[in-house]
Amino acid sequence: MNRPFVFINMAMSADGKIASTNGKVSSFGSRTDHARLLELRTKADAILTGAGTLNAQPDITLGLGNKRKNPPIRVIVSGRGHVNPKHKLFQTTGAPTVVLTSERISRKRLKELEAAADTVLVCGVNSVNFKKALHFLSKKYNSKRILCEGGGKLNDSLFRAGLVDEVNLTICPLILGGKDAPTIADGTGFKRLADAAQFKLHARKEVDNEMFLTYRAVRKP
């Protein structure tokens, strides 16, 4: 593989939702699920998240919860640069912060983010070019394993680009419902079954009332 290994980690309700329709319910996993999140972060060189996920959680820092000599870099994605430059993440010392954006970002916001983040990469015209972005992260930061923590639109972009190698899911025992509630892969999606991203079950584990699943990508010939 001539690019970083990309793996996704998401907790979802039994009906596939990652948050409520109004966005007020977005964290419902157990302590076991949180421990798994931290464990997966220790296996990553970079942690990737979308601006929507970041802005919805003002206290998120994408940290490990403990000290590590070389913590994973923190990468925020927003095609238009809709990232709050005063977010707590930018005020937290430790791993470098990187913002991936496109040419749709305004000059004002670009300057603000360049002052807040360690690196801002404008990569793509109308949206972020993830193949080029992953190449950049590999070359500049030696990122070999990249963990994506959503949201759904970011996941969808990675799926459609054929860049996801592994999906880790926690299925929580509740039903959120709502036709507009976000799922693990929102956005454009695939219009034909033949084009859908294919995966096979690699591992499963049940703890209390939660199911932990790991899927590995099946590459088309």
Side-chain angles (χ1 to χ4, degrees):
M1 183 182 296
N2 58 0
R3 61 167 177 80
F5 182 89
V6 177
F7 56 122
I8 288 175
N9 180 49
M10 301 293 293
M12 69 180 192
S13 63
D15 58 334
K17 311 297 185 181
I18 60 174
S20 60
T21 300
N22 61 8
K24 293 184 178 181
V25 178
S26 60
S27 179
F28 41 77
S30 67
R31 291 183 179 180
T32 303
D33 172 62
H34 184 68
R36 188 195 198 203
L37 177 148
L38 295 179
E39 179 184 359
L40 289 173
R41 284 182 179 181
T42 65
K43 300 177 181 179
D45 301 309
I47 301 174
L48 190 69
T49 191
T53 300
L54 183 74
N55 294 333
Q57 303 180 59
D59 292 324
I60 190 174
T61 63
L62 301 180
L64 293 173
N66 55 14
K67 293 182 179 180
R68 174 174 157 181
K69 185 176 180 180
N70 296 308
I73 64 172
R74 299 166 293 180
V75 186
I76 313 303
V77 180
S78 176
R80 292 187 175 183
H82 290 170
V83 183
N84 181 3
K86 296 183 180 180
H87 190 281
K88 181 179 179 180
L89 179 141
F90 296 113
Q91 315 302 324
T92 306
T93 59
T97 56
V98 177
V99 176
L100 303 178
T101 187
S102 74
E103 294 178 14
R104 299 174 72 185
I105 188 172
S106 68
R107 292 184 179 180
K108 178 182 178 182
R109 181 50 57 90
L110 179 60
K111 290 183 178 180
E112 292 174 341
L113 290 176
E114 285 177 335
D118 293 276
T119 302
V120 177
L121 176 67
V122 179
C123 183
V125 179
N126 296 313
S127 60
V128 174
N129 184 320
F130 285 101
K131 290 184 179 180
K132 291 184 178 180
L134 293 186
H135 178 76
F136 169 81
L137 295 175
S138 174
K139 292 297 182 181
K140 182 172 178 63
Y141 292 99
N142 196 31
S143 299
K144 295 180 174 63
R145 292 177 60 87
I146 297 179
L147 172 62
C148 178
E149 297 184 355
K153 290 183 179 180
L154 172 57
N155 291 342
D156 174 71
S157 296
L158 293 171
F159 281 127
R160 288 187 291 107
L163 297 174
V164 180
D165 302 293
E166 181 180 285
V167 178
N168 297 274
L169 294 177
T170 301
I171 301 179
C172 303
L174 73 161
I175 302 293
L176 282 176
K179 65 182 181 65
D180 296 323
T183 69
I184 68 167
D186 292 329
T188 304
F190 297 96
K191 296 182 179 179
R192 301 191 310 161
L193 183 60
D195 297 330
Q198 301 289 330
F199 291 83
K200 63 179 179 180
L201 184 63
H202 176 73
R204 62 182 177 184
K205 181 179 181 181
E206 184 178 355
V207 180
D208 295 329
N209 292 318
E210 290 178 329
M211 183 68 74
F212 298 89
L213 306 174
T214 299
Y215 291 91
R216 290 281 174 84
V218 176
R219 297 303 178 194
K220 299 176 184 177

